[in-house]
Amino acid sequence: LDRLTGGFRKTADRIGENISGLTSKTALDTTTLDDIEEALIASDLGPEASKRIRDAIAARRFEQLDERGLRTILAEEIEKILTPVAKPLDIHGFPRPHVILVIGVNGSGKTTTIGKIGHHLMEQDYGVLLAAGDTFRAAAIEQLKIWGERIHAPVIAGKEGGDPASIVFDGVKQATETGIDVLIVDTAGRLQNKQHLMDELSKVRRVLGKLNEAAPHDVILVLDATTGQNALNQIEVFQETAGVTGLVMTKLDGTARGGVLVAAAEKFGLPIHAIGVGEGVDDLRPFDPRAVARAIAG
Ligand code: GDP
């Protein structure tokens, strides 16, 4: 929890700066409520969530509201927005292997998140196989192999420039033959070439669907919190191209832009599985709406 609060410190500070002076000794007037709404938008919470919180504050008809009181309400209202989307990854279904496609733009933290999820599942005694489906970058294949070694998980990889669909095909085959529970697939993240990305992902999906009707069981979009509102555009594009089933937001440690998590929850309502608060293997945290809301509100 401390790491979590520490991770959101800059976000909480940003909100604190933005709302400072917006409290009152008398009932909040419309101007102050408008200022609060603007302060929340400036804190990356997005127009929809900011409006909702403003209305919630207005509805309470405060006699007066000091900064501590405002932060308390913020925490409560943010928690209400986050609670419906907090959903841990569920890999209990059958048949095996459970296939997780991990998507996102390069640099968002895909490979790191795959390593962390793999580690987390292996700690619960699940067998995990990692597949290097980002064949576009040799460095991506290498990175995934390094993570495989770090968490002691096997990695299936081809050559740079190879066909991701064939890696995935081999991955499912190997997982089935060796009784592996979960196959986690890394994918390329070149948004510049949207059509190619779309074709590649639909081919991967087609191959998976032939092997196992329900696969992929999860399509997790990894988002870098430091990109702020860009993360929201990425959700839109990837939803359209890949059919996102859940989110992991990374790099929440040390950014002032953590408010974007609230914006994403309000705007898209997609499940949030976990958050990244560091580069280490244990720095993936389950998404606890109350703890996160309190850490953001400061
Ligand atoms: P990919 O290109 O999407 O596979 O991104 P990587 O997994 O290689 O991550 C890009 C960089 O972000 C690396 O330096 C990671 O160590 C770093 N990174 C990933 N997740 C986090 C996180 O939650 N916090 C911090 N501080 N760094 C992270």
Side-chain angles (χ1 to χ4, degrees):
L1 188 72
D2 274 345
R3 183 72 193 255
L4 191 71
T5 311
F8 281 99
R9 172 72 11 92
K10 284 190 184 165
T11 298
D13 287 350
R14 159 87 55 92
I15 292 180
E17 279 163 32
N18 290 341
I19 64 170
S20 87
L22 296 183
T23 51
S24 70
K25 293 200 169 55
T26 56
L28 293 172
D29 58 15
T30 307
T31 313
T32 312
L33 286 165
D34 286 347
D35 289 347
I36 291 174
E37 183 176 344
E38 258 176 53
L40 298 177
I41 293 172
S43 309
D44 281 309
L45 271 75
E48 295 89 354
S50 301
K51 172 81 166 60
R52 179 190 290 278
I53 295 170
R54 175 209 198 273
D55 292 347
I57 296 172
R60 296 210 204 177
R61 301 181 184 284
F62 286 95
E63 300 278 330
Q64 67 163 82
L65 189 62
D66 60 13
E67 184 170 330
R68 193 63 253 155
L70 181 51
R71 284 192 190 259
T72 304
I73 299 197
L74 276 181
E76 286 171 19
E77 295 304 324
I78 290 173
E79 185 183 339
K80 283 187 203 159
I81 293 170
L82 299 183
T83 299
V85 299
K87 293 199 182 82
L89 201 57
D90 179 9
I91 54 136
H92 295 97
F94 284 90
R96 291 301 198 211
H98 183 102
V99 182
I100 304 174
L101 274 190
V102 181
I103 62 177
V105 300
N106 295 338
S108 60
K110 270 193 310 285
T111 315
T112 308
T113 301
I114 288 170
K116 290 170 176 175
I117 292 175
H119 176 69
H120 176 71
L121 292 174
M122 289 173 76
E123 275 191 322
Q124 297 172 267
D125 282 332
Y126 289 109
V128 172
L129 174 64
L130 311 181
D134 180 358
T135 57
F136 193 71
R137 299 179 299 164
I141 300 174
E142 276 319 301
Q143 261 319 104
L144 196 71
K145 286 183 179 167
I146 291 170
W147 269 103
E149 276 170 32
R150 191 173 293 160
I151 67 170
H152 309 293
V155 177
I156 184 152
K159 285 204 185 72
E160 183 183 354
D163 181 5
S166 88
I167 307 281
V168 168
F169 181 89
D170 292 345
V172 172
K173 192 159 162 277
Q174 182 175 322
T176 307
E177 284 167 7
T178 58
I180 291 266
D181 302 296
V182 187
L183 175 69
I184 312 179
V185 183
D186 193 12
T187 62
R190 287 152 292 138
L191 269 193
Q192 311 83 287
N193 194 341
K194 205 167 129 184
Q195 189 57 45
H196 186 267
L197 183 79
M198 210 177 327
D199 294 345
E200 195 170 288
L201 283 171
S202 37
K203 187 169 173 197
V204 166
R205 278 180 163 280
R206 222 167 35 239
V207 167
L208 278 172
K210 272 189 199 147
L211 293 166
N212 175 345
E213 221 175 295
H217 304 82
D218 288 287
V219 181
I220 300 180
L221 173 62
V222 176
L223 297 165
D224 174 348
T226 67
T227 66
Q229 300 300 302
N230 266 335
L232 304 180
N233 302 335
Q234 287 168 22
I235 299 177
E236 251 164 51
V237 173
F238 277 101
Q239 239 187 342
E240 188 189 307
T241 52
V244 176
T245 63
L247 307 174
V248 171
M249 193 169 277
T250 65
K251 308 189 199 179
L252 282 159
D253 51 308
T255 177
R257 314 207 67 176
V260 72
L261 195 62
V262 183
E266 172 73 36
K267 186 163 183 194
F268 297 97
L270 284 165
I272 299 178
H273 296 310
I275 53 176
V277 292
E279 297 180 276
V281 71
D282 289 316
D283 292 330
L284 188 77
R285 294 296 148 90
F287 186 66
D288 174 345
R290 171 162 296 178
V292 169
R294 287 182 178 177
I296 289 176

